PDB file of all heavy atoms in Angstrom:
ATOM      1  N   LEU A  64      24.917  66.326  17.468  1.00 98.00           N
ATOM      2  CA  LEU A  64      24.405  67.679  17.431  1.00 98.00           C
ATOM      3  C   LEU A  64      24.447  68.336  18.767  1.00 98.00           C
ATOM      4  O   LEU A  64      24.127  67.729  19.794  1.00 98.00           O
ATOM      5  CB  LEU A  64      22.928  67.663  16.930  1.00 98.00           C
ATOM      6  CG  LEU A  64      22.726  67.218  15.478  1.00 98.00           C
ATOM      7  CD1 LEU A  64      21.253  67.294  15.149  1.00 98.00           C
ATOM      8  CD2 LEU A  64      23.498  68.046  14.462  1.00 98.00           C
ATOM      9  N   ASP A  65      24.849  69.570  18.729  1.00 96.00           N
ATOM     10  CA  ASP A  65      24.783  70.421  19.980  1.00 96.00           C
ATOM     11  C   ASP A  65      24.605  71.859  19.570  1.00 96.00           C
ATOM     12  O   ASP A  65      24.509  72.115  18.401  1.00 96.00           O
ATOM     13  CB  ASP A  65      26.052  70.252  20.795  1.00 96.00           C
ATOM     14  CG  ASP A  65      25.772  70.452  22.270  1.00 96.00           C
ATOM     15  OD1 ASP A  65      24.760  71.042  22.616  1.00 96.00           O
ATOM     16  OD2 ASP A  65      26.622  70.006  23.097  1.00 96.00           O
ATOM     17  N   PHE A  66      24.501  72.782  20.512  1.00 97.00           N
ATOM     18  CA  PHE A  66      24.324  74.178  20.232  1.00 97.00           C
ATOM     19  C   PHE A  66      25.279  75.027  20.963  1.00 97.00           C
ATOM     20  O   PHE A  66      25.615  74.752  22.099  1.00 97.00           O
ATOM     21  CB  PHE A  66      22.813  74.562  20.608  1.00 97.00           C
ATOM     22  CG  PHE A  66      21.814  73.893  19.722  1.00 97.00           C
ATOM     23  CD1 PHE A  66      21.369  72.600  20.006  1.00 97.00           C
ATOM     24  CD2 PHE A  66      21.373  74.463  18.560  1.00 97.00           C
ATOM     25  CE1 PHE A  66      20.520  71.956  19.171  1.00 97.00           C
ATOM     26  CE2 PHE A  66      20.489  73.857  17.685  1.00 97.00           C
ATOM     27  CZ  PHE A  66      20.035  72.595  17.976  1.00 97.00           C
ATOM     28  N   ASP A  67      25.671  76.126  20.304  1.00 96.00           N
ATOM     29  CA  ASP A  67      26.639  77.076  20.973  1.00 96.00           C
ATOM     30  C   ASP A  67      25.831  78.017  21.835  1.00 96.00           C
ATOM     31  O   ASP A  67      24.547  77.935  21.880  1.00 96.00           O
ATOM     32  CB  ASP A  67      27.557  77.716  19.969  1.00 96.00           C
ATOM     33  CG  ASP A  67      26.841  78.741  19.034  1.00 96.00           C
ATOM     34  OD1 ASP A  67      25.648  79.074  19.361  1.00 96.00           O
ATOM     35  OD2 ASP A  67      27.440  79.176  18.064  1.00 96.00           O
ATOM     36  N   ALA A  68      26.467  78.965  22.457  1.00 92.00           N
ATOM     37  CA  ALA A  68      25.828  79.937  23.380  1.00 92.00           C
ATOM     38  C   ALA A  68      24.751  80.783  22.695  1.00 92.00           C
ATOM     39  O   ALA A  68      23.904  81.302  23.281  1.00 92.00           O
ATOM     40  CB  ALA A  68      26.817  80.794  24.137  1.00 92.00           C
ATOM     41  N   GLN A  69      25.001  80.997  21.358  1.00 92.00           N
ATOM     42  CA  GLN A  69      23.988  81.789  20.611  1.00 92.00           C
ATOM     43  C   GLN A  69      22.847  80.986  20.061  1.00 92.00           C
ATOM     44  O   GLN A  69      22.012  81.477  19.297  1.00 92.00           O
ATOM     45  CB  GLN A  69      24.669  82.449  19.411  1.00 92.00           C
ATOM     46  CG  GLN A  69      25.474  83.746  19.735  1.00 92.00           C
ATOM     47  CD  GLN A  69      26.727  83.465  20.467  1.00 92.00           C
ATOM     48  OE1 GLN A  69      27.544  82.563  20.108  1.00 92.00           O
ATOM     49  NE2 GLN A  69      26.925  84.117  21.646  1.00 92.00           N
ATOM     50  N   GLY A  70      22.835  79.675  20.377  1.00 95.00           N
ATOM     51  CA  GLY A  70      21.763  78.805  19.912  1.00 95.00           C
ATOM     52  C   GLY A  70      21.969  78.287  18.509  1.00 95.00           C
ATOM     53  O   GLY A  70      21.111  77.794  17.865  1.00 95.00           O
ATOM     54  N   LYS A  71      23.246  78.398  17.997  1.00 97.00           N
ATOM     55  CA  LYS A  71      23.546  77.923  16.613  1.00 97.00           C
ATOM     56  C   LYS A  71      23.993  76.486  16.658  1.00 97.00           C
ATOM     57  O   LYS A  71      24.799  76.140  17.553  1.00 97.00           O
ATOM     58  CB  LYS A  71      24.574  78.826  15.968  1.00 97.00           C
ATOM     59  CG  LYS A  71      24.138  80.268  15.777  1.00 97.00           C
ATOM     60  CD  LYS A  71      24.666  80.811  14.521  1.00 97.00           C
ATOM     61  CE  LYS A  71      24.265  82.322  14.316  1.00 97.00           C
ATOM     62  NZ  LYS A  71      22.834  82.511  14.134  1.00 97.00           N
ATOM     63  N   VAL A  72      23.554  75.735  15.676  1.00 98.00           N
ATOM     64  CA  VAL A  72      23.854  74.297  15.744  1.00 98.00           C
ATOM     65  C   VAL A  72      25.313  73.963  15.512  1.00 98.00           C
ATOM     66  O   VAL A  72      25.967  74.585  14.676  1.00 98.00           O
ATOM     67  CB  VAL A  72      22.895  73.549  14.757  1.00 98.00           C
ATOM     68  CG1 VAL A  72      23.355  73.698  13.302  1.00 98.00           C
ATOM     69  CG2 VAL A  72      22.794  72.023  15.098  1.00 98.00           C
ATOM     70  N   LEU A  73      25.749  72.982  16.223  1.00 98.00           N
ATOM     71  CA  LEU A  73      27.159  72.448  16.048  1.00 98.00           C
ATOM     72  C   LEU A  73      27.031  71.001  15.584  1.00 98.00           C
ATOM     73  O   LEU A  73      26.272  70.228  16.191  1.00 98.00           O
ATOM     74  CB  LEU A  73      27.931  72.513  17.408  1.00 98.00           C
ATOM     75  CG  LEU A  73      28.085  73.917  17.988  1.00 98.00           C
ATOM     76  CD1 LEU A  73      28.712  73.775  19.420  1.00 98.00           C
ATOM     77  CD2 LEU A  73      29.022  74.788  17.110  1.00 98.00           C
ATOM     78  N   ILE A  74      27.760  70.643  14.527  1.00 98.00           N
ATOM     79  CA  ILE A  74      27.768  69.266  14.062  1.00 98.00           C
ATOM     80  C   ILE A  74      29.152  68.665  14.380  1.00 98.00           C
ATOM     81  O   ILE A  74      30.137  69.066  13.861  1.00 98.00           O
ATOM     82  CB  ILE A  74      27.583  69.193  12.554  1.00 98.00           C
ATOM     83  CG1 ILE A  74      26.340  70.052  12.123  1.00 98.00           C
ATOM     84  CG2 ILE A  74      27.436  67.775  12.050  1.00 98.00           C
ATOM     85  CD1 ILE A  74      26.140  70.225  10.664  1.00 98.00           C
ATOM     86  N   GLY A  75      29.165  67.744  15.346  1.00 98.00           N
ATOM     87  CA  GLY A  75      30.460  67.197  15.813  1.00 98.00           C
ATOM     88  C   GLY A  75      31.364  68.319  16.352  1.00 98.00           C
ATOM     89  O   GLY A  75      32.548  68.365  16.113  1.00 98.00           O
ATOM     90  N   GLY A  76      30.698  69.328  16.986  1.00 98.00           N
ATOM     91  CA  GLY A  76      31.470  70.437  17.580  1.00 98.00           C
ATOM     92  C   GLY A  76      31.803  71.569  16.570  1.00 98.00           C
ATOM     93  O   GLY A  76      32.367  72.599  16.948  1.00 98.00           O
ATOM     94  N   VAL A  77      31.470  71.368  15.280  1.00 98.00           N
ATOM     95  CA  VAL A  77      31.786  72.391  14.253  1.00 98.00           C
ATOM     96  C   VAL A  77      30.549  73.114  13.854  1.00 98.00           C
ATOM     97  O   VAL A  77      29.492  72.460  13.594  1.00 98.00           O
ATOM     98  CB  VAL A  77      32.437  71.686  13.011  1.00 98.00           C
ATOM     99  CG1 VAL A  77      32.756  72.730  11.914  1.00 98.00           C
ATOM    100  CG2 VAL A  77      33.679  70.852  13.426  1.00 98.00           C
ATOM    101  N   PRO A  78      30.585  74.476  13.650  1.00 98.00           N
ATOM    102  CA  PRO A  78      29.394  75.233  13.299  1.00 98.00           C
ATOM    103  C   PRO A  78      28.792  74.707  11.984  1.00 98.00           C
ATOM    104  O   PRO A  78      29.510  74.527  11.026  1.00 98.00           O
ATOM    105  CB  PRO A  78      29.934  76.674  13.091  1.00 98.00           C
ATOM    106  CG  PRO A  78      31.150  76.769  13.968  1.00 98.00           C
ATOM    107  CD  PRO A  78      31.740  75.418  13.946  1.00 98.00           C
ATOM    108  N   GLY A  79      27.456  74.562  12.058  1.00 98.00           N
ATOM    109  CA  GLY A  79      26.772  74.119  10.842  1.00 98.00           C
ATOM    110  C   GLY A  79      26.420  75.268   9.908  1.00 98.00           C
ATOM    111  O   GLY A  79      26.197  75.083   8.712  1.00 98.00           O
ATOM    112  N   GLU A  80      26.382  76.508  10.462  1.00 97.00           N
ATOM    113  CA  GLU A  80      26.164  77.700   9.621  1.00 97.00           C
ATOM    114  C   GLU A  80      27.405  78.040   8.872  1.00 97.00           C
ATOM    115  O   GLU A  80      28.528  77.826   9.399  1.00 97.00           O
ATOM    116  CB  GLU A  80      25.781  78.901  10.489  1.00 97.00           C
ATOM    117  CG  GLU A  80      24.697  78.678  11.524  1.00 97.00           C
ATOM    118  CD  GLU A  80      23.278  78.913  10.940  1.00 97.00           C
ATOM    119  OE1 GLU A  80      23.175  79.297   9.739  1.00 97.00           O
ATOM    120  OE2 GLU A  80      22.295  78.710  11.641  1.00 97.00           O
ATOM    121  N   PRO A  81      27.362  78.593   7.637  1.00 97.00           N
ATOM    122  CA  PRO A  81      26.104  78.902   6.917  1.00 97.00           C
ATOM    123  C   PRO A  81      25.631  77.725   6.049  1.00 97.00           C
ATOM    124  O   PRO A  81      24.643  77.878   5.349  1.00 97.00           O
ATOM    125  CB  PRO A  81      26.551  80.044   6.027  1.00 97.00           C
ATOM    126  CG  PRO A  81      28.003  79.762   5.739  1.00 97.00           C
ATOM    127  CD  PRO A  81      28.584  79.061   6.921  1.00 97.00           C
ATOM    128  N   HIS A  82      26.397  76.648   6.048  1.00 98.00           N
ATOM    129  CA  HIS A  82      26.154  75.514   5.090  1.00 98.00           C
ATOM    130  C   HIS A  82      24.750  75.009   5.191  1.00 98.00           C
ATOM    131  O   HIS A  82      24.146  74.634   4.173  1.00 98.00           O
ATOM    132  CB  HIS A  82      27.162  74.374   5.320  1.00 98.00           C
ATOM    133  CG  HIS A  82      28.601  74.908   5.514  1.00 98.00           C
ATOM    134  ND1 HIS A  82      29.331  75.414   4.499  1.00 98.00           N
ATOM    135  CD2 HIS A  82      29.315  75.013   6.652  1.00 98.00           C
ATOM    136  CE1 HIS A  82      30.479  75.806   5.016  1.00 98.00           C
ATOM    137  NE2 HIS A  82      30.449  75.607   6.293  1.00 98.00           N
ATOM    138  N   ILE A  83      24.159  74.914   6.384  1.00 98.00           N
ATOM    139  CA  ILE A  83      22.867  74.389   6.568  1.00 98.00           C
ATOM    140  C   ILE A  83      21.724  75.238   5.946  1.00 98.00           C
ATOM    141  O   ILE A  83      20.649  74.799   5.803  1.00 98.00           O
ATOM    142  CB  ILE A  83      22.448  74.111   8.052  1.00 98.00           C
ATOM    143  CG1 ILE A  83      22.530  75.422   8.873  1.00 98.00           C
ATOM    144  CG2 ILE A  83      23.359  73.075   8.640  1.00 98.00           C
ATOM    145  CD1 ILE A  83      21.797  75.366  10.213  1.00 98.00           C
ATOM    146  N   ARG A  84      22.117  76.498   5.550  1.00 95.00           N
ATOM    147  CA  ARG A  84      21.130  77.391   4.943  1.00 95.00           C
ATOM    148  C   ARG A  84      21.269  77.404   3.427  1.00 95.00           C
ATOM    149  O   ARG A  84      20.602  78.257   2.778  1.00 95.00           O
ATOM    150  CB  ARG A  84      21.311  78.852   5.472  1.00 95.00           C
ATOM    151  CG  ARG A  84      21.348  78.950   6.985  1.00 95.00           C
ATOM    152  CD  ARG A  84      19.986  78.970   7.646  1.00 95.00           C
ATOM    153  NE  ARG A  84      20.185  78.723   9.051  1.00 95.00           N
ATOM    154  CZ  ARG A  84      19.173  78.267   9.844  1.00 95.00           C
ATOM    155  NH1 ARG A  84      17.976  78.132   9.359  1.00 95.00           N
ATOM    156  NH2 ARG A  84      19.358  78.026  11.105  1.00 95.00           N
ATOM    157  N   SER A  85      22.112  76.625   2.819  1.00 95.00           N
ATOM    158  CA  SER A  85      22.338  76.673   1.362  1.00 95.00           C
ATOM    159  C   SER A  85      21.047  76.308   0.630  1.00 95.00           C
ATOM    160  O   SER A  85      20.151  75.672   1.195  1.00 95.00           O
ATOM    161  CB  SER A  85      23.454  75.691   0.937  1.00 95.00           C
ATOM    162  OG  SER A  85      22.951  74.414   1.041  1.00 95.00           O
ATOM    163  N   ARG A  86      20.970  76.703  -0.621  1.00 92.00           N
ATOM    164  CA  ARG A  86      19.780  76.407  -1.417  1.00 92.00           C
ATOM    165  C   ARG A  86      19.618  74.895  -1.606  1.00 92.00           C
ATOM    166  O   ARG A  86      18.484  74.373  -1.626  1.00 92.00           O
ATOM    167  CB  ARG A  86      19.807  77.046  -2.783  1.00 92.00           C
ATOM    168  CG  ARG A  86      19.073  78.380  -2.741  1.00 92.00           C
ATOM    169  CD  ARG A  86      19.402  79.225  -3.931  1.00 92.00           C
ATOM    170  NE  ARG A  86      18.615  78.841  -5.095  1.00 92.00           N
ATOM    171  CZ  ARG A  86      18.644  79.561  -6.232  1.00 92.00           C
ATOM    172  NH1 ARG A  86      19.381  80.643  -6.313  1.00 92.00           N
ATOM    173  NH2 ARG A  86      17.882  79.187  -7.271  1.00 92.00           N
ATOM    174  N   GLU A  87      20.719  74.221  -1.696  1.00 97.00           N
ATOM    175  CA  GLU A  87      20.672  72.741  -1.902  1.00 97.00           C
ATOM    176  C   GLU A  87      20.060  72.027  -0.649  1.00 97.00           C
ATOM    177  O   GLU A  87      19.183  71.179  -0.815  1.00 97.00           O
ATOM    178  CB  GLU A  87      22.103  72.203  -2.144  1.00 97.00           C
ATOM    179  CG  GLU A  87      22.044  70.906  -2.859  1.00 97.00           C
ATOM    180  CD  GLU A  87      23.443  70.313  -3.012  1.00 97.00           C
ATOM    181  OE1 GLU A  87      24.446  70.923  -2.489  1.00 97.00           O
ATOM    182  OE2 GLU A  87      23.561  69.267  -3.634  1.00 97.00           O
ATOM    183  N   VAL A  88      20.516  72.451   0.487  1.00 97.00           N
ATOM    184  CA  VAL A  88      19.993  71.843   1.747  1.00 97.00           C
ATOM    185  C   VAL A  88      18.505  72.258   1.887  1.00 97.00           C
ATOM    186  O   VAL A  88      17.668  71.416   2.163  1.00 97.00           O
ATOM    187  CB  VAL A  88      20.794  72.316   2.938  1.00 97.00           C
ATOM    188  CG1 VAL A  88      20.092  71.967   4.241  1.00 97.00           C
ATOM    189  CG2 VAL A  88      22.206  71.708   2.949  1.00 97.00           C
ATOM    190  N   THR A  89      18.145  73.544   1.653  1.00 93.00           N
ATOM    191  CA  THR A  89      16.820  73.973   1.768  1.00 93.00           C
ATOM    192  C   THR A  89      15.856  73.215   0.855  1.00 93.00           C
ATOM    193  O   THR A  89      14.746  72.858   1.211  1.00 93.00           O
ATOM    194  CB  THR A  89      16.749  75.526   1.460  1.00 93.00           C
ATOM    195  OG1 THR A  89      17.577  76.163   2.389  1.00 93.00           O
ATOM    196  CG2 THR A  89      15.297  76.039   1.621  1.00 93.00           C
ATOM    197  N   GLY A  90      16.386  72.880  -0.360  1.00 93.00           N
ATOM    198  CA  GLY A  90      15.575  72.146  -1.321  1.00 93.00           C
ATOM    199  C   GLY A  90      15.312  70.674  -0.911  1.00 93.00           C
ATOM    200  O   GLY A  90      14.305  70.099  -1.414  1.00 93.00           O
ATOM    201  N   LEU A  91      16.161  70.168  -0.093  1.00 97.00           N
ATOM    202  CA  LEU A  91      16.036  68.699   0.171  1.00 97.00           C
ATOM    203  C   LEU A  91      15.632  68.419   1.640  1.00 97.00           C
ATOM    204  O   LEU A  91      15.308  67.194   1.941  1.00 97.00           O
ATOM    205  CB  LEU A  91      17.370  68.029  -0.107  1.00 97.00           C
ATOM    206  CG  LEU A  91      17.668  67.866  -1.639  1.00 97.00           C
ATOM    207  CD1 LEU A  91      19.164  67.485  -1.828  1.00 97.00           C
ATOM    208  CD2 LEU A  91      16.737  66.849  -2.247  1.00 97.00           C
ATOM    209  N   VAL A  92      15.584  69.417   2.473  1.00 96.00           N
ATOM    210  CA  VAL A  92      15.340  69.123   3.907  1.00 96.00           C
ATOM    211  C   VAL A  92      13.913  68.566   4.147  1.00 96.00           C
ATOM    212  O   VAL A  92      13.734  67.746   5.038  1.00 96.00           O
ATOM    213  CB  VAL A  92      15.630  70.385   4.778  1.00 96.00           C
ATOM    214  CG1 VAL A  92      14.736  71.561   4.417  1.00 96.00           C
ATOM    215  CG2 VAL A  92      15.519  70.037   6.256  1.00 96.00           C
ATOM    216  N   SER A  93      12.949  68.987   3.323  1.00 94.00           N
ATOM    217  CA  SER A  93      11.625  68.413   3.573  1.00 94.00           C
ATOM    218  C   SER A  93      11.572  66.913   3.323  1.00 94.00           C
ATOM    219  O   SER A  93      10.895  66.198   4.015  1.00 94.00           O
ATOM    220  CB  SER A  93      10.576  69.177   2.659  1.00 94.00           C
ATOM    221  OG  SER A  93      10.397  70.467   3.117  1.00 94.00           O
ATOM    222  N   ALA A  94      12.280  66.512   2.274  1.00 96.00           N
ATOM    223  CA  ALA A  94      12.356  65.090   1.946  1.00 96.00           C
ATOM    224  C   ALA A  94      13.023  64.314   3.059  1.00 96.00           C
ATOM    225  O   ALA A  94      12.543  63.254   3.512  1.00 96.00           O
ATOM    226  CB  ALA A  94      13.029  64.851   0.643  1.00 96.00           C
ATOM    227  N   VAL A  95      14.183  64.827   3.530  1.00 98.00           N
ATOM    228  CA  VAL A  95      14.940  64.103   4.535  1.00 98.00           C
ATOM    229  C   VAL A  95      14.133  64.037   5.891  1.00 98.00           C
ATOM    230  O   VAL A  95      14.054  63.004   6.523  1.00 98.00           O
ATOM    231  CB  VAL A  95      16.297  64.808   4.748  1.00 98.00           C
ATOM    232  CG1 VAL A  95      16.985  64.226   5.976  1.00 98.00           C
ATOM    233  CG2 VAL A  95      17.160  64.649   3.524  1.00 98.00           C
ATOM    234  N   SER A  96      13.495  65.177   6.239  1.00 97.00           N
ATOM    235  CA  SER A  96      12.815  65.241   7.522  1.00 97.00           C
ATOM    236  C   SER A  96      11.468  64.453   7.528  1.00 97.00           C
ATOM    237  O   SER A  96      10.866  64.322   8.521  1.00 97.00           O
ATOM    238  CB  SER A  96      12.619  66.682   7.961  1.00 97.00           C
ATOM    239  OG  SER A  96      11.749  67.331   7.049  1.00 97.00           O
ATOM    240  N   ALA A  97      11.035  63.994   6.375  1.00 95.00           N
ATOM    241  CA  ALA A  97       9.784  63.222   6.294  1.00 95.00           C
ATOM    242  C   ALA A  97       9.940  61.774   6.734  1.00 95.00           C
ATOM    243  O   ALA A  97       8.938  61.058   6.932  1.00 95.00           O
ATOM    244  CB  ALA A  97       9.187  63.330   4.890  1.00 95.00           C
ATOM    245  N   HIS A  98      11.210  61.247   6.796  1.00 97.00           N
ATOM    246  CA  HIS A  98      11.452  59.878   7.135  1.00 97.00           C
ATOM    247  C   HIS A  98      11.249  59.653   8.675  1.00 97.00           C
ATOM    248  O   HIS A  98      11.868  60.371   9.485  1.00 97.00           O
ATOM    249  CB  HIS A  98      12.864  59.441   6.821  1.00 97.00           C
ATOM    250  CG  HIS A  98      13.199  59.539   5.348  1.00 97.00           C
ATOM    251  ND1 HIS A  98      12.481  58.818   4.370  1.00 97.00           N
ATOM    252  CD2 HIS A  98      14.086  60.287   4.635  1.00 97.00           C
ATOM    253  CE1 HIS A  98      12.988  59.117   3.154  1.00 97.00           C
ATOM    254  NE2 HIS A  98      13.968  59.971   3.312  1.00 97.00           N
ATOM    255  N   ALA A  99      10.449  58.663   9.028  1.00 97.00           N
ATOM    256  CA  ALA A  99      10.318  58.333  10.469  1.00 97.00           C
ATOM    257  C   ALA A  99      11.651  58.038  11.073  1.00 97.00           C
ATOM    258  O   ALA A  99      11.920  58.367  12.247  1.00 97.00           O
ATOM    259  CB  ALA A  99       9.353  57.149  10.624  1.00 97.00           C
ATOM    260  N   GLU A 100      12.511  57.331  10.362  1.00 97.00           N
ATOM    261  CA  GLU A 100      13.844  56.930  10.876  1.00 97.00           C
ATOM    262  C   GLU A 100      14.736  58.120  11.236  1.00 97.00           C
ATOM    263  O   GLU A 100      15.672  58.034  12.005  1.00 97.00           O
ATOM    264  CB  GLU A 100      14.629  56.061   9.910  1.00 97.00           C
ATOM    265  CG  GLU A 100      13.878  54.821   9.416  1.00 97.00           C
ATOM    266  CD  GLU A 100      13.041  55.093   8.119  1.00 97.00           C
ATOM    267  OE1 GLU A 100      12.405  56.128   7.996  1.00 97.00           O
ATOM    268  OE2 GLU A 100      13.084  54.210   7.235  1.00 97.00           O
TER     269      GLU A 100
END
Side-chain angles (χ1 to χ4, degrees):
L64 294 181
D65 208 340
F66 291 86
D67 69 12
Q69 278 73 48
K71 298 217 181 293
V72 76
L73 301 172
I74 309 171
V77 179
E80 308 272 0
H82 317 286
I83 59 162
R84 309 279 163 198
S85 74
R86 263 165 84 172
E87 201 184 5
V88 168
T89 301
L91 288 166
V92 64
S93 289
V95 171
S96 63
H98 299 297
E100 303 94 317

